[in-house]
């Protein structure tokens, strides 16, 4: 089979691998869609090993197949896999983490926080930019029939991350939420929050992304390259601020704005990775009785919940994708994706 390998320093190759055979507890999935995520660019751009270190991980990425948003059809199962849970022919997403299976984090579905160290498909183990992927069957997540494979790939990381953060914020129809950063995660958050009934204020520094946010369900959108987002949010909310704020950008200035735009007793979540933030703790947090939380992707059951929510509300997650590629065009796909001029991209099979 073919698989995309990042060699570092913006070089990749399409290498040949033996077709996988399942171990006793494994499943082999034929890929139908493998999403391209902004975090993939860290491995694509960095010197060999540097991206893992930046994520606080160790190991050797040499020869690892990239892609951590896999979605496809089960084509083989190991002898120990309970076919009451999964069968050949099932449409599935893959939870892109695996762990020991025994620690408290793994047993509650938060495998990325495994106390003995997590495996990340596409980073420390073979991922989805290939014709097939072999994974432990316990990582499979059912894909509803009326959710496309490309939507399933998005749910497997960015859209699922947005859903996980909104749930941690306890968002409901009584809330007004400001969402900073309108890349794929931010747009997913806009779409999901609007479906949850919240009033959504979208913020970004790029005018085209601000326009797209309105198309995804934002009630208001602010171009922060030409307007002070905190002042604009305060004006929209009668001076009170929003009950919830979510930063999907990872930019320090956006994190500060998210905190400052929150109302008294407000809730703020950070999902954008990297960088830092400096806050004036007393006026920004303590005296506002603010709750600030970090949200790290989602649990295995949370991924399934997100897929069911998308299906139940008929959300058009496929609209996130502006670029679709074949595996043979992976080098061109990542050259274009590296420019970050479009929306979400995917490799289809």
């Amino acid at each position: 089979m073919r698989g995309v390998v990042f060699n570092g320093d913006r070089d990749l190759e399409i290498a040949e691998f033996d077709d996988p055979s399942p171990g006793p507890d494994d499943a082999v999935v034929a890929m139908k869609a493998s999403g391209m995520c902004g975090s993939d660019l860290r491995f694509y751009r960095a010197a060999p090993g540097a991206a893992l270190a930046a994520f606080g991980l160790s190991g050797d990425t040499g020869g690892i197949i990239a892609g951590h948003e896999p979605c496809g059809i089960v084509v083989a199962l190991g002898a120990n896999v309970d076919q009451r849970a999964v069968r050949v022919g099932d449409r599935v997403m893959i939870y892109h983490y695996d762990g020991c299976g025994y620690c408290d984090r793994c047993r509650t579905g938060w495998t990325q926080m495994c106390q003995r160290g997590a495996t990340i498909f596409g980073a420390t183990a073979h991922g989805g930019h290939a014709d097939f992927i072999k994974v432990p069957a316990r990582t499979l997540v059912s894909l509803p029939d009326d959710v496309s494979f490309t939507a399933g790939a998005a749910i497997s990381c960015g859209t699922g991350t947005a859903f996980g953060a909104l749930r941690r914020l306890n968002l409901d129809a009584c809330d007004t939420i400001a969402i900073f950063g309108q890349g794929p995660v931010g747009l997913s958050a806009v779409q999901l929050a609007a479906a949850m009934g919240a009033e959504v204020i979208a913020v970004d520094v790029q005018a085209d992304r601000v326009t797209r946010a309105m198309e995804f369900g934002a009630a208001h959108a602010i171009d922060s390259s030409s307007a002070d987002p905190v002042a604009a949010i305060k004006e929209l909310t009668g001076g009170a601020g929003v009950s919830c704020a979510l930063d999907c950008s990872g930019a320090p200035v956006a994190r500060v704005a998210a905190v400052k735009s929150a109302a008294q007793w407000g809730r703020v979540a950070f999902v954008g990775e990297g960088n830092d933030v400096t806050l004036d703790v007393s006026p920004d947090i303590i005296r506002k009785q603010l709750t600030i939380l970090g949200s790290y992707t989602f649990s295995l059951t949370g991924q399934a919940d997100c897929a069911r929510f998308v299906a139940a509300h008929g959300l058009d997650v496929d609209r996130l994708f502006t670029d679709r590629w074949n595996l043979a065009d992976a080098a061109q796909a990542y050259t274009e994706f590296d420019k970050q001029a479009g929306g979400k991209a995917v490799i289809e099979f």
Side-chain angles (χ1 to χ4, degrees):
M1 71 173 188
R2 304 163 298 166
V4 174
V5 175
F6 294 151
N7 294 322
D9 300 314
R10 291 183 164 86
D11 177 60
L12 67 76
E13 64 176 310
I14 302 174
E16 290 190 359
F17 296 82
D18 291 337
D19 289 349
S21 297
D25 301 306
D26 295 333
V28 175
V29 178
M31 286 294 91
K32 293 297 181 182
S34 184
M36 297 165 61
C37 177
S39 60
D40 290 321
L41 290 176
R42 296 193 181 195
F43 292 88
Y44 173 70
R45 294 167 174 166
L52 274 183
F55 279 102
L57 302 170
S58 60
D60 181 8
T61 58
I64 294 293
I65 297 171
H68 64 274
E69 299 183 351
C71 195
I73 295 175
V74 177
V75 294
L77 292 170
N80 293 344
V81 178
D82 187 343
Q83 296 198 28
R84 293 172 298 179
V86 58
R87 294 184 179 184
V88 169
D90 282 356
R91 306 170 77 248
V92 294
M93 302 173 289
I94 295 170
Y95 187 63
H96 64 274
Y97 307 102
D98 191 36
C100 70
Y102 296 99
C103 72
D104 289 345
R105 301 296 173 266
C106 287
R107 287 162 65 89
T108 54
W110 291 96
T111 314
Q112 72 271 45
M113 301 172 72
C114 175
Q115 291 163 304
R116 294 176 175 86
T119 296
I120 304 176
F121 301 116
T124 62
H126 288 324
H129 287 358
D131 296 304
F132 301 96
I133 185 173
K134 180 181 76 172
V135 294
R138 61 178 173 263
T139 66
L140 301 183
V141 180
S142 179
L143 181 68
D145 288 340
D146 46 359
V147 177
S148 72
F149 289 112
T150 49
I155 292 166
S156 298
C157 187
T159 300
T161 294
F163 185 79
L166 296 176
R167 292 188 75 173
R168 291 211 59 202
L169 285 168
N170 294 317
L171 190 80
D172 63 28
C174 295
D175 286 308
T176 298
I177 183 170
I179 299 173
F180 292 80
Q182 294 303 309
V185 177
L187 285 176
S188 294
V190 167
Q191 190 177 48
L192 291 163
M196 292 172 183
E199 181 179 1
V200 180
I201 303 172
V203 183
D204 200 277
V205 296
Q206 296 183 27
D208 59 331
R209 288 186 168 187
V210 170
T211 299
R212 283 200 85 198
M214 295 294 290
E215 297 169 359
F216 275 70
H220 314 279
I222 298 167
D223 182 347
S224 57
S225 70
S226 58
D228 178 347
V230 177
I233 288 167
K234 291 292 181 69
E235 183 175 355
L236 287 169
T237 57
V242 290
S243 57
C244 293
L246 172 62
D247 174 60
C248 302
S249 71
V253 65
R255 288 176 176 151
V256 171
V259 170
K260 289 184 177 294
S261 69
Q264 292 179 346
W265 301 99
R267 293 105 65 198
V268 180
F270 295 159
V271 298
E273 292 270 10
N275 295 311
D276 54 19
V277 64
T278 300
L279 298 167
D280 193 343
V281 172
S282 290
D284 291 343
I285 304 173
I286 294 174
R287 295 173 193 165
K288 290 169 67 175
Q289 301 276 18
L290 213 62
T291 298
I292 301 178
L293 57 89
S295 186
Y296 180 22
T297 58
F298 43 86
S299 69
L300 190 151
T301 55
Q303 182 173 344
D305 288 344
C306 181
R308 286 191 289 265
F309 184 90
V310 166
H313 291 267
L315 298 186
D316 187 7
V317 174
D318 290 277
R319 292 180 62 199
L320 289 169
F321 294 95
T322 59
D323 299 280
R324 297 169 184 262
W325 301 91
N326 295 318
L327 186 64
D329 300 320
Q332 182 184 356
Y334 270 93
T335 296
E336 294 301 319
F337 191 52
D338 191 27
K339 298 174 183 177
Q340 294 190 283
K344 189 162 181 60
V346 63
I347 295 173
E348 297 180 315
F349 297 80

